[in-house]
Amino acid sequence: MAEILTKSRARNIFYGGSIFFVVVFVGMTVHSHRYVVQTSTAGMPLSEEVRHGKHVWEEHSCINCHSLHGEGAYFAPELGNVTTRWGVQDSPDDAFWMLKGWIESQPSGLEGRRQMPRYELTDEDIRALSEFLRWADQTDTQGWPPNDAG
Amino acid sequence: MKYQSQKVAYWYILAALALFGIQVAGGLLAGWVYVSPNFLSELLPFNVIRMIHTNALIVWLLLGFFAAAYFLVPEEAEREIWSPKLAYLQLVILLVGTLGAVGSYLVGIHGGREFLEQPLWVKFGILVAALIFLLNVSMTVLSGKRTAITNVLLMGLWLLSLLWVFAFINPDNLSLDKMYWWFVVHLWVEATWELVMAAILAFLLLKLTGVDREVVEKWLYVIVATALFSGILGTGHHFYWIGLPGYWQWVGSIFSTFEVIPFFLMMSFAFVMVWKGRKTHPNKAALLWSLGSSTVAFFGAGVWGFLHTLHGVNFYSHGTQITAAHGHLAFYGAYVALNLAVFSYAMPMLRQREPYNQVLNMASFWLMTGGMAFMTFVLTFAGTIQTHMQRVVGDYYMDVQDSLSVFYLMRFGAGAAVVIGALLFIYSMLVVRRKEVITPGPANPVPGE
Ligand code: HEM
Ligand code: HEM
Ligand SMILES: [Fe+2]
C-alpha cells in the first residue's frame, strides 16, 4: 500500500467512517420503525389476541421447523402466507377452524413423511395463533413470496 | 506461554471443544431426520435438535473468542491478565448457562426467536459474563501496552456485547421483532465478529510469519474499515421482504455487495503475509487453518453470500436451501476454522510442548473442509431446484422436498465426514502422541524471496 496511507490515517478513516455509517443506519432504522407501525403492518390492529398468538408461536419454537416471511428453518412450509394458501385470510372463523383441524391431526405418523409434533393447545391459544398468522399475512412484504406456494 | 495467566485460555478451549462436538453431533442428527423423518420424531422433534445445533455453535465460537482474547491480550499488552479469578468465574457462569439452556430445551422450555431461544435467565447470564470479560480484558489492556490488534479486538468485543441488548428487545409487532433481531444476527457475523476475526488473524500471522508489525496493523485497519463501511448498511439485505420500506432493496443490494471486499482482503492478507514472511514457524497446522479459514470465508461468506444478496435474486431464493448452504460455509470458514487455527496455535504452548500431532491435525482440516464444501455444493443444488420448482413453477413445498431426498442423503454423508474430522481434531489436541503418524514432508525450503 502506498505511503500516503499510513497506519494512523487508516485508523482515523476507520473510526470516522464507521461513525458516519452508524449514524446513517440509525436514521434509517428510525424511519423504518415508523413505516412498519404506520404503513406496512397497519392493515389489521395489533390486538391482544395477535400478541398472544405471537407468544404461543414463540413458546413452541415453530420457527425452528418453519420459515415466517422467509426466515427461520427450512424443514417445513413457509407460514407467512399460509392463510392466503388456505384461502382463509379474510375470515377469522375459517382460519381458526382450519388451524384447529390441522394441529389436532398431528402427528400424521405417515412413514417417510416429515412429522409435526402434536401440541396440546386450548381453543383460545389456537384462535390467537390463527389471528397472529392472519396478521403476519396482511403485512406489506413488497410482493414476497412470488406465489402462494410460499 | 510467556505469561502464567494465559493458562485461562486452556479451560476455555476445552469447553469450546466439548460444545463443538455436541454441535456437529446435533447437526448430524438433524441431517439424519431429513433422510429418515420418523426418527425420534416423538421424543426429540426437529426444532429441538436444531436449537441445540445452532446454539451450541454460537456459544462455542464465543468461548473460542474469549480463549483467543485471554491468550493474546497478555502477549500484546505484555502483562498478566488483570484478574484470572474473574476469568474463571466468567467461564463457570457461561457453562452453567449453557447446560441450563440445553437442559431446558430438552424439556421443552425455550424462547421462539431463531438462535436467541435461550431462557431469559441464561440471556442475563451471558450478559453478566460478557461484562466481566470486558472489564477484565479492558483493565489488562489499559494497564499494559496498547496495540492495533488489541484495539480492534476490544472494539469488536465491546460492540458485539452491546448488540446483545437487542436479544432482550422483542416487540410484539412481528416486522419490528425481525428488524431488531437482525441487529444481533447480521451485525454480529457481518460486522463485529469480523473485527474479532481480523484481529485474531492479524495476531496469528504476525506470530506465524514474522512479518513487520507496522505492515500487519495497517492491513488490519483497512480490513476492518471495509467491513464496517459495507456491513452496517449491508444489513439491508435482510430487510427486503419483512415489511420494511422498499428502499432497502437498493441500499441492501449495493452495500452487501461491498461486503465481499473485507473477506477478499483477509484472504489476500493471509497469503501475502505468508509470502513475505521470513520465518518458518514449526506449527504448520496453525498456518494451514489460518490460510484455510480466510480462504473458505471468502468463498462461504463472500461468494456464496453474493450469490443470493441482490434483491432480484433473493426474491426467489429467500429462505431456501441456498440460505442453508451459505450459512454453513460462511460460519465454517470465517469462525469455526479461525477458532480451530487459534486452538492449534495456542494448545501446544498452553500445554508447554512442541507442536505435535500435526499430521493428524492437518488431516482433520482436509476432512472437515472437504465435508463442509461438499455439503455446501449439495445444498446449493437442492436449493436451486427448490427455488425453481417452488418459487418459479409454484409447486407445493412438501412435494418439492420429496424430490430432493438424494441431496439430503449426500448432505448426511458430508456431515459424517465433518464429524469424523472434528473428532480427529479433538483427538489431535488432547491426546499426546510424540511421534507423527507418518513422517511429515520438509518444511517450506525457501521462505520469502
Ligand atoms: C462470515 C460471515 C457470514 C456468516 C456467518 C453468514 C451467515 C448467514 C446465515 C446463518 C444466514 C441465515 C440466517 C437465517 O437463519 O435466516 C445468512 C443469510 C444471508 N446471508 Fe450471510 N453470512 C455471512 C456473510 C454474508 C455476506 C458477506 C453476504 C453478502 C455478500 C451474505 C448474504 C446473506 C444473505 C443475502 C442472506 C439471506 C438469505 C435469505 O434471504 O434467505 N452473508 N447468512
Ligand atoms: C455434521 C455436520 C452438519 C450437519 C449434518 C448439519 C446439518 C444442519 C441442518 C439439518 C440444519 C437445519 C436446516 C434447516 O433448517 O432445515 C442446520 C442448520 C444450521 N447449521 Fe448445520 N450441520 C452441520 C455442521 C454445521 C457446522 C460445522 C456449522 C458451522 C459452521 C453449522 C451451522 C449451522 C447454521 C448456522 C444453521 C442455521 C442455518 C440457517 O438458518 O440458515 N452446521 N445444520
Ligand atoms: Fe447478513
Side-chain angles (χ1 to χ4, degrees), chain B residues 182 185-187 189-190 231 234-238 256 259 309 326:
Chain B
W182 283 113
V185 177
H186 171 97
L187 289 178
V189 299
E190 287 161 73
T235 317
H237 65 181
H238 304 292
S256 69
E259 283 182 36
T309 209
H326 154 70

Side-chain angles (χ1 to χ4, degrees), chain A residues 72-75, chain B residues 23-24 27-28 30-31 34 46 50 53-54 57 114-115 321 323-324 327-328 331-332 336 372 375 411 415 418-419:
Chain A
Y74 323 109
F75 184 73
Chain B
Q23 183 229 333
V24 291
L28 196 65
Y34 260 88
F46 181 85
R50 189 177 189 275
H53 176 55
T54 55
L57 167 70
E114 192 191 4
F115 307 140
Q321 296 296 328
T323 312
H328 276 90
F331 257 115
Y332 174 75
V336 171
M372 291 311 289
M375 185 184 303
R411 187 253 306 267
V418 175
V419 170

Side-chain angles (χ1 to χ4, degrees), chain B residues 1 51 94 105 112 120 135 154 190-191 267 317 323 364 368 417 422:
Chain B
M1 202 168 72
M51 272 186 271
L94 286 170
Y105 294 168
L120 196 61
L135 173 72
L154 276 187
E190 287 161 73
M267 180 173 66
S317 68
T323 312
S364 83
M368 268 190 261

